[in-house]
Amino acid sequence: GQPLPVWGKAEPGSNITVSFGKQSVKTTADAQGAFRAELAAVPASATPAEMTVSSGAETLTFTDVLVGEVWLCSGQSNMQWEVKGALDGDIETLSAGPSRIRLLNVERVTATEPRFSSDAVWTTSDPQSIARFSAVAYHFGRSLEAALDVPVGLIHSSWGGTPAIAWTRPQVFDRHPLLQARNAEWDKGLAERPQLMAEWEKKLTNWKKERGIPERTKVNKKTHPDAPQPPSLPFEPGSPQRPGVLANGMLAPIAPFALRGAIWYQGEADTKWEPTRYHERLEVMFSDWREWWGNPELAVGIVQLASFMPVKTEPADDPWPQLRESQRQYTLRDPHSGLAVAIDAGEADDIHPYDKHVIGRRLARWALAKVYGKNIPAGGPIPQKADFGAQVSITFDQPGSGLRVLNGSPLGGFTLAGADGVFHPAVARIEGKNRVIVSSPAVTAPRHVRYAWQNNPVDANLVSQQRLPAVPFELRAQPAN
């Protein structure tokens, strides 16, 4: 259903013919040898077809080509996590067989200028390819392929521990002062790196001396598993955390592909940098992606951060719930985006939830409902409005066939604050199909209500009848006129 770009390189000025099915399109390579042709949109097809690209006496032939839904799957380590290392990865690999899913693993490369092409190769979904592929992406694609009954192409491009700014093109940093400031910080750090390296070497020497480690010994998790984290290297030029280098290195080579949408599992690295403003960085990045791909309605599915770290018994205002709320705020502003809630899939002692199947399925649920128009809930309950009085009445959208409490426990996870902004534990109850009433004897005039506002909100147990978890949130009373 979208025009099909075909691009490459040839002798400068040479004529190129691209043929696919009944179509044949001609184009000319520019002065640098780059060319691009565009085939008209064709229906989805699982019948293997052939495409040829010819110039003069040379012809390249591509066989076993399918037409279907193509999605970009990007982010950091939780998107990078492979099928073989996730829950039931052994079964998934053993049971892999012929399907209409095609996989493209983009190699992890940084670049200060946009790369034209990648060494990545499309593969079929054979056991070996699936085992090394993103688990979240694979489970997402498998659900789409089965529900839509069409081929699905998955482009996986992710790198663990990387911030969103690394996946944002440098030419749009001037659209936001946060991006400008972080990029300037990197430029300054790289310019001053010799001095910073000398300081780092002194710190490392002292760090080793304090722990009785010989000076010339290399320290890593294998050699010293019990040692604290050593001082980190300052502003490495090839670091994947450097602003823009992954957009140039890992997105530019696949940017021409006609995409239906993207799924994004990232944010852990951004909890350390203005987490309440994460949505602003996403606005710049995703608006640029849409311009880059020439698709203003490019769909974006975002995984909200899963639960992690030790449980706290008292209300807290930590970076993880702040960033989750910022993710929610982004999806409220962007009609072509959606949120996959993952607070029930996390693990206190592991930043990488083992169950990637549920996360991939929830992304697929959103896509099937909102992108493909299937008559299913896009997710769990989301707050629609809150009425503030002596207690707070919250009305939810997406209740499914009604709100319920998971596992028969008392409804938990809610806190209230008055005008002083100090939050206290609250009592909550479900009323009717889609409302929750929240109150606290410590807050007689509530002005703020939060739900699941913890790094690891284990008491947050509001779900739909379909057992889809409610999204974590903060709502505030509107100021009086």
Side-chain angles (χ1 to χ4, degrees):
Q2 296 187 38
L4 304 173
V6 179
W7 69 99
K9 284 203 171 179
E11 287 295 321
S14 60
N15 296 319
I16 295 100
T17 301
V18 178
S19 300
F20 182 70
K22 298 179 180 179
Q23 298 187 60
S24 187
V25 179
K26 298 183 184 298
T27 188
T28 303
D30 64 18
Q32 286 72 46
F35 70 85
R36 174 169 171 163
E38 194 168 90
L39 298 163
V42 295
S45 174
T47 302
E50 182 177 283
M51 182 177 75
T52 61
V53 183
S54 59
S55 179
E58 184 180 7
T59 298
L60 300 176
T61 301
F62 302 88
T63 61
D64 197 22
V65 179
L66 309 184
V67 180
E69 298 295 292
V70 181
W71 284 78
L72 169 64
C73 314
S74 189
Q76 55 181 110
S77 57
N78 272 308
M79 183 62 81
Q80 182 182 329
W81 206 263
E82 297 175 344
V83 168
K84 67 177 184 179
L87 179 66
D88 288 338
D90 50 357
I91 296 176
E92 296 294 346
T93 304
L94 284 172
S95 60
S99 78
R100 297 167 293 185
I101 298 176
R102 298 295 167 89
L103 313 172
L104 184 69
N105 252 327
V106 178
E107 69 275 22
R108 285 183 280 280
V109 176
T110 64
T112 55
E113 296 294 331
R115 288 202 305 151
F116 181 80
S117 62
S118 164
D119 292 333
V121 177
W122 283 98
T123 68
T124 58
S125 49
D126 59 83
Q128 184 177 1
S129 298
I130 287 172
R132 301 300 303 272
F133 201 71
S134 160
V136 167
Y138 175 66
H139 291 304
F140 167 78
R142 192 173 67 168
S143 296
L144 290 191
E145 187 256 353
L148 299 173
D149 195 28
V150 297
V152 171
L154 301 172
I155 301 174
H156 170 235
S157 183
S158 68
W159 195 327
T162 56
I165 193 173
W167 298 95
T168 306
R169 286 196 293 180
Q171 55 261 49
V172 300
F173 289 164
D174 61 0
R175 296 182 184 179
H176 200 286
L178 272 180
L179 303 180
Q180 286 180 311
R182 180 53 60 93
N183 191 49
E185 179 185 347
W186 265 88
D187 287 345
K188 183 174 182 290
L190 291 171
E192 299 174 351
R193 194 163 188 269
Q195 176 187 341
L196 294 173
M197 283 295 293
E199 295 173 0
W200 172 79
E201 288 174 357
K202 289 180 181 178
K203 289 180 182 178
L204 184 62
T205 298
N206 291 334
W207 182 88
K208 288 181 178 179
K209 189 180 294 183
E210 290 170 0
R211 289 155 183 80
I213 301 172
E215 186 174 344
R216 294 189 178 183
T217 302
K218 289 186 177 181
V219 179
N220 55 49
K221 291 181 180 179
K222 290 183 179 179
T223 59
H224 296 79
D226 299 325
Q229 184 71 22
S232 57
L233 280 166
F235 299 101
E236 292 185 88
S239 169
Q241 297 185 353
R242 185 177 175 182
V245 295
L246 301 185
N248 283 330
M250 296 180 64
L251 295 182
I254 48 93
F257 271 112
L259 300 179
R260 180 66 64 200
I263 54 174
W264 176 252
Y265 196 165
Q266 191 275 340
E268 297 90 344
D270 279 70
T271 58
K272 302 172 185 176
W273 175 38
E274 299 271 14
T276 61
R277 303 182 69 182
Y278 179 69
H279 62 282
E280 298 173 18
R281 304 195 285 278
L282 290 188
E283 285 170 2
V284 174
M285 185 179 76
F286 287 138
S287 65
D288 181 50
W289 284 18
R290 287 170 174 146
E291 292 173 16
W292 202 358
W293 267 272
N295 183 355
E297 297 183 354
L298 185 76
V300 177
I302 298 168
V303 181
Q304 198 181 43
L305 290 187
S307 297
F308 179 52
M309 292 182 275
V311 175
K312 293 183 178 180
T313 56
E314 295 298 319
D317 196 16
D318 293 317
W320 281 59
Q322 290 174 355
L323 192 130
R324 287 191 195 109
E325 174 64 8
S326 199
Q327 290 174 314
R328 187 181 76 90
Q329 289 296 327
Y330 176 79
T331 60
L332 291 177
R333 292 165 166 78
D334 181 358
H336 303 296
S337 69
L339 203 61
V341 177
I343 55 165
D344 58 334
E347 301 177 28
D349 60 350
D350 196 336
I351 200 170
H352 304 114
Y354 195 45
D355 187 355
K356 296 292 192 281
H357 182 274
V358 68
I359 295 171
R361 294 274 287 189
R362 286 182 183 164
L363 286 165
R365 173 179 287 279
W366 158 77
L368 289 169
K370 296 299 186 179
V371 180
Y372 297 106
K374 301 299 182 183
N375 187 25
I376 60 172
I382 55 177
Q384 190 178 49
K385 66 173 184 174
D387 297 317
F388 288 82
Q391 55 189 12
V392 182
S393 174
I394 308 169
T395 303
F396 286 84
D397 194 10
Q398 290 186 181
S401 53
L403 300 176
R404 63 163 287 156
V405 182
L406 192 64
N407 295 332
S409 305
L411 182 55
F414 287 90
T415 57
L416 289 176
D420 60 1
V422 178
F423 281 83
H424 300 269
V427 176
R429 71 178 192 277
I430 295 172
E431 188 175 88
K433 179 181 177 181
N434 65 342
R435 284 201 303 161
V436 170
I437 310 300
V438 188
S439 62
S440 172
V443 185
T444 56
R447 306 299 294 167
H448 310 261
V449 59
R450 286 173 172 171
Y451 173 69
W453 202 269
Q454 299 270 8
N455 293 328
N456 189 357
V458 294
D459 59 341
N461 56 0
L462 180 66
V463 298
S464 67
Q465 291 289 346
Q466 289 77 18
R467 285 24 173 208
L468 297 171
V471 63
F473 63 85
E474 177 180 13
L475 301 176
R476 303 179 182 184
Q478 296 297 318
N481 294 329

